Amino acid sequence: MSTRLNFLPDERFAPLRTSLKERLQKMAELITPENFPSLLDFHAGSLLRDVFAAVRADEGSVWILDQSKEHLVVSYASGPHAADIMGFKQPLSAGIVSTSFISEQGFAENEVYRNELHSGLLDEKLHVMTYGMIVVPFYILNACQGVISCVQLINVRHEGGRSVPVADTPSGFSMGSLDAVKRAALILTDLVNYRLLRTAIGWEAN
């Protein structure tokens, strides 16, 4: 029979809690799409790559809200097109990633290219067709700061002004895939929050 381990707050730190919360909030406000990658260590990167591979995604990204609060910007990318995706800006007024961010709701769909909410901006840039898409909100401290997305893609060629698939249809995502990405987002939030706390109190882990 297991015994639950209960830790209680040390009251010696009580006078510092307000100051610590304020400091953490100010640190979070300084996070931008450009400096967000510096918060990701090897473990965070491995977590994202592993979950994207587990759900059979071709590409996976972390999108962070820019300082103007007008765009989501790809701040981490994994997959063959990673170099081309980094820094891509999606207006908050368009696209499923923006809808997921604004509503703070997870999204999973196959044949997503048929969805009128889907933005084709990145597809056009990469010369692909997005078949399956998963998007989940991503939090830092208690605020939604972006989304994590992953996709299954179909390579296309352009004929007569339309896109023609040149590969087989992917297997698609399941609701289990959505749950896996949601869990990864929660873990990534904990890792980033821990990094902020560790920095705020000057505690460098070995």
Side-chain angles (χ1 to χ4, degrees):
M1 183 175 180
S2 63
T3 301
R4 183 177 179 84
L5 179 60
N6 290 315
F7 288 115
L8 297 175
D10 190 324
E11 290 307 313
R12 292 177 297 176
F13 299 124
L16 302 176
R17 288 175 192 161
T18 299
S19 296
L20 179 58
K21 288 180 180 179
E22 290 176 353
R23 175 56 179 159
L24 289 172
Q25 184 59 44
K26 289 180 179 179
M27 292 172 70
E29 290 170 358
L30 294 175
I31 296 173
T32 66
E34 293 74 24
N35 63 33
F36 175 77
S38 65
L39 292 174
L40 303 183
D41 58 14
F42 170 80
H43 301 292
S46 294
L47 165 72
L48 292 170
R49 289 190 296 271
D50 288 349
V51 74
F52 295 150
V55 301
R56 298 183 179 180
D58 298 313
E59 306 276 350
S61 307
V62 179
W63 306 67
I64 298 297
L65 184 66
D66 66 5
Q67 290 184 304
S68 70
K69 301 187 185 304
E70 295 178 350
H71 302 85
L72 289 171
V73 184
V74 176
S75 301
Y76 170 89
S78 173
H81 298 290
D84 296 320
I85 294 173
M86 282 294 293
F88 178 82
K89 294 184 177 182
Q90 180 69 43
L92 283 184
S93 58
I96 292 170
V97 293
S98 298
T99 301
S100 178
F101 171 78
I102 293 170
S103 67
E104 297 187 30
Q105 297 294 317
F107 172 93
E109 187 173 306
N110 298 314
E111 297 187 351
V112 72
Y113 57 86
R114 301 180 185 274
N115 190 321
E116 62 181 12
L117 293 177
H118 175 61
S119 169
L121 292 175
L122 194 52
D123 285 359
E124 293 176 8
K125 175 180 174 66
L126 301 177
H127 304 292
V128 298
M129 177 186 294
T130 298
Y131 177 79
M133 176 180 283
I134 293 174
V135 189
V136 301
F138 169 62
Y139 297 81
I140 298 176
L141 300 182
N142 294 317
C144 186
Q145 298 285 0
V147 297
I148 297 175
S149 72
C150 58
V151 294
Q152 290 182 344
L153 303 173
I154 302 175
N155 290 325
V156 299
R157 67 173 182 271
H158 298 289
E159 292 183 357
R162 64 189 184 94
S163 297
V164 178
V166 295
D168 294 336
T169 300
S171 58
F173 292 125
S174 66
M175 293 309 295
S177 300
L178 174 62
D179 291 340
V181 179
K182 283 182 176 179
R183 288 193 297 270
L186 291 172
I187 295 170
L188 185 62
T189 290
D190 285 344
L191 290 173
V192 172
N193 287 349
Y194 168 65
R195 178 73 178 273
L196 294 177
L197 177 61
R198 199 177 74 194
T199 302
I201 64 176
W203 176 33
E204 290 298 324
N206 294 326

